[in-house]
Amino acid sequence: LSNSLACRRLAAELSEAGGGVPPGDKEPANFGKYVHAILATVDLSGANPEPVARTLARQYGVTDANAARAITMVDRVLRLPLMSEARAATKIFREVPLAGGTVRAQGSADVVFERGGEWRFVDFKTDHIDAPEALREHAPQLAKYSTSLALVVGAQVKAALCLVRTG
């Protein structure tokens, strides 16, 4: 009975602290930027992202628990078939800046690669939304990026939206 009471108290404390996440482990506002920094730096071969994530965690002020969450997300992304395609690419670029042009795209394409004569780019998103909503929300940005990149490479560029939280 005392174990049961202790478990209920702990559950109540965790619930009051933020839905089961200890108070110091809520995701900071810059968590998305942190995850993007890991994905921009980590070896795409699928090697362990932990050393990169732990190093960047200090820079971004991320707790160990949030670093562990990010590592899990990045590891899942690196195992996606899309990233296997990127690893097999003949040309690959990361964090490609986009600005101006006739389509007024501004930002950066997270991964751009060419494989078998086809160009693709990947845009990583850490949003807390489902795939259909993410596609609706980000479709205009993907179209602008694709058009801007096509002007640079001189070929059609297919867009891929990667929801980092769900793969």
Side-chain angles (χ1 to χ4, degrees):
L1 184 65
S2 108
N3 255 356
S4 175
L5 181 60
C7 287
R8 282 195 304 251
R9 275 193 196 140
L10 178 59
E13 288 171 19
L14 288 175
S15 177
E16 288 172 14
V21 177
D25 291 334
K26 286 194 174 188
E27 289 180 2
N30 67 345
F31 186 76
K33 289 181 181 181
Y34 167 62
V35 172
H36 270 83
I38 298 168
L39 287 164
T41 309
V42 73
D43 180 358
L44 294 180
S45 71
N48 184 0
E50 186 169 357
V52 170
R54 296 287 179 198
T55 300
L56 288 171
R58 289 189 293 274
Q59 179 183 339
Y60 283 83
V62 172
T63 65
D64 286 344
N66 279 317
R69 284 186 193 100
I71 291 164
T72 299
M73 290 177 198
V74 169
D75 189 52
R76 185 174 41 242
V77 167
L78 293 176
R79 295 173 193 267
L80 292 172
L82 178 63
M83 298 312 291
S84 293
E85 287 182 38
R87 284 189 290 276
T90 52
K91 296 176 187 166
I92 187 165
F93 306 94
R94 293 162 78 177
E95 294 301 316
V96 177
L98 301 168
T102 58
V103 292
R104 297 190 186 273
Q106 188 162 354
S108 62
D110 296 318
V111 178
V112 179
F113 63 93
E114 185 269 335
R115 180 173 180 225
E118 288 190 6
W119 283 91
R120 295 191 74 175
F121 88 90
V122 183
D123 194 20
F124 299 121
K125 296 295 182 190
T126 57
D127 303 353
H128 287 278
I129 55 179
D130 63 12
E133 186 179 348
L135 196 53
R136 275 191 306 277
E137 184 175 320
H138 298 295
Q141 176 190 14
L142 295 174
K144 286 179 181 179
Y145 282 20
S146 186
T147 302
S148 286
L149 289 165
L151 292 171
V152 173
V153 300
Q156 181 181 0
V157 179
K158 294 180 182 176
L161 183 63
C162 179
L163 301 178
V164 174
R165 292 181 185 278
T166 58

